[in-house]
Amino acid sequence: MNRSLSALLTNCLLFLATIATPLRANAADNPSARQPMAEGPFTGTWDSLEQYQTPEWFRDAKFGIWAHWTAQCVPEMGDWYARFMYMENQEDWKFQIANYGHMSKVGFKDIDNMWKAEKWEPARLMDLYKRAGARYFVALANHHDNFDCYDSKYQPWNSVNLGPKKDIVGIWRDEAKKAGLRFGVTVHAARAWEWFEVAQWQDHFGPNRGRQYDGNLTKADGKGTWWEGYDPQDLYAQRHYIGAPPDQEYITKFYNRTVDLINKYDPDLLYFDDYVLPFQYKNWDMKVGLDIAAHYYNNNIKRHGKLDAVLNGKILNEQQRKAMVWDIERGLASSIQPFVWQTDTCIGGWHYRKSLAEKHQYKSVPMVVHMLTDIVSKNGNLLLNVPLRGDGTIDGDEHQFLEGMASWIAVNGDAIYETRPWVVYGEGPSTETSKNPKKTDFNEGEFAYTAADVRFTTKGETLYAIALGWPTDGKLRIKSLGSGSKLFTKKIDKVELLGSKEPLKWSQVDGELVVNLPQTKPCEYAFSLKVATSAVATN
């Protein structure tokens, strides 16, 4: 039987099984009932959500660190292991068979149980994240692998029942609060319905040809196994025809899981890894994500007396950017944005990949410093993932990276935190229109910076000019601040270099501000001038 015919037959059998199989039971008493939405000024419509105003804490914070940490970090093979391990002849498929066994017997459910987090020291890590400059910390609540990293009422496959047997999200939250950081969670599980469809496939070639993967197993198959009493279908959600839209049971369960997460942990930030909101990716359900957003906002108001929460989504139109905070994955905006936004990126892969550490292929401190500076100058924040190993530790390169960020932010933090954009975000070669990528998502590698590139931020009547390199002649020239500039018409009272006690010689001439820098650099990578004036025009 050829591969396409075999797949068709498998789909037909699964479709018949779907008809014959009763609805799956969840851990909650009544899985078909939706949890109530919190009452308040917001309803599940875009017109209502437009009332949203970004809280000042997020506008001031500028930099957050994210632990994108699930059982997919156990194999140390990087992103999407739980999917790729079921894709025949892929690298992860081969790794799975060689190291753990064939997917008909050892599937991702078993990797979940191998995740023990036995060396995790969240308090020590949080202290390091804070020193590295993070003003908010974000934990992964669930990924496309559908495993909840918290004490989940609606998903039996969770980190309290299985694997680490710890409330990962709850512990992270407590440590973040102790450190004085705002706390967020990210939710990725809406797409597990299609993302995990590969778990119901089978080998089509070789010695295991025809052996179905464990995504076809049910609760009845678990008798005498370590997972006896658990239904693999609560994890894989794969008793459906491949390509079918999610059923109402699946959507309701996701809604309840997310509302439960909000109610239990009261996150300051909620990030959806979805185009706009959950289930809007393929127009599967345009309402449930809006209802979750309204519940989140109303619940936050009820708890805090005002709306103090941030909701992130991707690929937003103009109206949607008023209703929530636009998130750009691995990319940068090309100009100052009217509403606060966020870039999310990673120093390596989203899940831990050992080979990147061995080859020393993480993002460098100067690259991230330049990204952060550019993003902040455009009214944005940076959320940076530093992935953990399965055991809960970071590697030597990651530790060194965080220490490097700590050294830079200790000198330049005043030019970053609590700042607002100036009338332009910067000057230099990187600001030329021809060098700005037209797209936003996944464009971060397309920017290059020189000593002639400068970014601007403001704080009250102070203007900061951050040079993204040290000029070879020791003279920093800033055209935007020249005496004849149409952008800057104020008198400069004083110019200082953050981190340096040496008085600076400077002159504001027609066409540019010229600053003679000291011989000793106060730091590396980027250098912040503090320009005191009687007034600064802000965006």
Side-chain angles (χ1 to χ4, degrees):
M1 184 181 295
N2 63 37
R3 183 169 184 165
S4 59
L5 183 59
S6 175
L8 178 61
L9 179 58
T10 299
N11 285 346
C12 291
L13 291 172
L14 284 167
F15 178 65
L16 292 173
T18 303
I19 297 173
T21 303
L23 292 177
R24 299 183 299 276
N26 293 315
D29 295 333
N30 188 1
S32 63
R34 277 184 29 155
Q35 288 295 297
M37 288 174 57
E39 295 181 357
F42 293 94
T43 61
T45 67
W46 287 115
D47 288 344
S48 170
L49 295 175
E50 272 192 68
Q51 303 173 67
Y52 177 74
Q53 296 290 324
T54 307
E56 288 299 297
W57 75 259
F58 189 72
R59 299 188 72 197
D60 291 343
K62 306 304 180 186
F63 183 47
I65 286 180
W66 182 9
H68 195 284
W69 186 40
T70 70
Q72 290 186 79
C73 296
V74 170
E76 300 185 351
M77 290 293 288
D79 301 341
W80 284 26
Y81 182 84
R83 176 174 171 83
F84 293 150
M85 63 176 277
Y86 291 104
M87 300 178 72
E88 196 167 9
N89 289 322
Q90 294 287 325
E91 177 187 21
D92 294 350
W93 178 89
K94 296 176 182 177
F95 181 91
Q96 173 69 21
I97 294 173
N99 290 273
Y100 303 117
H102 190 263
M103 289 68 70
S104 59
K105 293 184 177 180
V106 184
F108 195 72
K109 68 182 189 311
D110 303 281
I111 305 296
D112 279 327
N113 201 45
M114 294 177 195
W115 182 31
K116 301 303 182 184
E118 65 273 19
K119 296 181 181 179
W120 182 37
E121 298 180 89
R124 187 184 65 82
L125 288 169
M126 201 64 65
D127 177 69
L128 180 56
Y129 298 152
K130 184 175 181 178
R131 286 194 295 108
R135 291 288 181 90
Y136 57 108
F137 172 80
V138 177
L140 191 146
N142 51 49
H143 195 248
H144 308 319
D145 61 22
N146 219 21
F147 186 90
D148 284 350
C149 302
Y150 57 95
D151 187 13
S152 179
K153 179 180 179 181
Y154 294 91
Q155 173 55 299
W157 294 82
N158 67 64
S159 64
V160 174
N161 292 342
L162 302 165
K165 295 191 176 179
K166 298 180 178 74
D167 183 355
I168 301 294
V169 167
I171 294 169
W172 276 132
R173 178 200 59 187
D174 293 346
E175 294 301 335
K177 296 299 183 183
K178 288 177 187 176
L181 303 183
R182 292 285 186 154
F183 175 71
V185 291
T186 70
V187 173
H188 310 241
R191 290 177 57 192
W193 177 273
E194 64 168 357
W195 192 85
F196 246 156
E197 285 181 336
V198 292
Q200 64 180 310
W201 291 2
Q202 61 185 359
D203 280 8
H204 292 84
F205 308 98
N208 294 305
R209 179 179 179 181
R211 294 178 65 183
Q212 290 190 333
Y213 303 151
D214 69 328
N216 296 284
L217 297 175
T218 65
K219 186 175 183 178
D221 297 312
K223 189 173 182 179
T225 70
W226 72 262
W227 49 274
E228 183 173 357
Y230 289 90
D231 187 351
Q233 292 310 309
D234 281 329
L235 180 69
Y236 296 117
Q238 290 309 315
R239 303 301 288 179
H240 68 261
Y241 180 78
I242 293 175
D247 60 29
Q248 192 57 53
E249 180 195 0
Y250 180 85
I251 292 172
T252 299
K253 181 177 177 179
F254 175 85
Y255 169 89
N256 285 338
R257 286 164 67 184
T258 308
V259 167
D260 182 43
L261 174 70
I262 293 167
N263 294 347
K264 276 193 173 114
Y265 302 97
D266 186 28
D268 299 304
L269 179 148
L270 173 61
Y271 164 114
F272 284 121
D273 187 18
D274 293 285
Y275 293 168
V276 189
L277 288 168
F279 301 109
Q280 297 191 8
Y281 169 59
K282 292 184 176 179
N283 296 327
W284 282 336
D285 188 313
M286 303 301 288
K287 189 66 169 64
V288 69
L290 291 168
D291 288 346
I292 293 173
H295 173 80
Y296 178 50
Y297 288 166
N298 289 336
N299 183 72
N300 186 264
I301 293 170
K302 183 178 180 180
R303 289 173 181 257
H304 301 280
K306 63 177 182 177
L307 182 53
D308 203 36
V310 172
L311 178 63
N312 291 139
K314 302 177 182 179
I315 321 294
L316 306 183
N317 63 30
E318 186 174 345
Q319 181 189 32
Q320 293 158 355
R321 293 180 198 180
K322 297 176 183 177
M324 54 197 297
V325 175
W326 178 35
D327 181 89
I328 300 175
E329 182 174 354
R330 289 190 181 272
L332 308 171
S334 60
S335 61
I336 297 173
Q337 298 300 303
F339 301 105
V340 182
W341 57 283
Q342 177 180 269
T343 284
D344 73 280
T345 191
C346 181
I347 68 168
W350 289 118
H351 286 100
Y352 189 85
R353 187 175 180 90
K354 184 178 180 180
S355 63
L356 292 178
E358 291 176 336
K359 297 175 183 177
H360 307 291
Q361 291 180 336
Y362 291 141
K363 283 184 176 68
S364 65
V365 175
M367 181 178 182
V368 173
V369 163
H370 292 163
M371 285 183 64
L372 174 64
T373 303
D374 181 79
I375 289 165
V376 170
S377 74
K378 297 171 181 173
N379 205 26
N381 285 20
L382 173 61
L383 177 61
L384 182 70
N385 173 43
V386 182
L388 277 65
R389 299 183 181 105
D391 65 8
T393 61
I394 59 174
D395 62 46
D397 281 8
E398 289 174 315
H399 191 277
Q400 186 177 6
F401 169 87
L402 290 168
E403 292 291 359
M405 288 296 300
S407 296
W408 186 85
I409 207 73
V411 172
N412 297 279
D414 283 348
I416 299 296
Y417 302 123
E418 291 94 32
T419 62
R420 300 293 182 263
W422 191 45
V423 292
V424 294
Y425 71 86
E427 68 176 48
S430 64
T431 65
E432 297 173 13
T433 303
S434 62
K435 294 185 179 181
N436 272 322
K438 294 181 180 179
K439 63 180 182 177
T440 52
D441 294 81
F442 303 100
N443 70 9
E444 65 185 11
E446 299 178 33
F447 290 82
Y449 303 105
T450 70
D453 287 302
V454 177
R455 295 294 181 265
F456 300 110
T457 62
T458 69
K459 188 182 296 182
E461 296 183 353
T462 298
L463 172 66
Y464 293 96
I466 308 171
L468 304 186
W470 190 269
T472 56
D473 64 356
K475 295 181 183 294
L476 182 59
R477 296 172 171 83
I478 306 176
K479 295 179 181 179
S480 300
L481 304 185
S483 60
S485 172
K486 295 180 180 180
L487 299 172
F488 186 77
T489 59
K490 307 298 181 182
K491 178 180 178 295
I492 295 177
D493 298 323
K494 188 176 182 180
V495 179
E496 301 173 81
L497 179 64
L498 296 187
S500 175
K501 295 182 180 180
E502 295 186 41
L504 300 180
K505 293 182 179 180
W506 56 272
S507 59
Q508 189 181 22
V509 298
D510 187 19
E512 59 187 11
L513 170 69
V514 181
V515 181
N516 295 310
L517 298 175
Q519 290 188 348
T520 303
K521 297 179 183 179
C523 60
E524 296 294 334
Y525 321 131
F527 313 90
S528 303
L529 291 180
K530 182 178 181 180
V531 182
T533 67
S534 55
V536 177
T538 58
N539 210 50

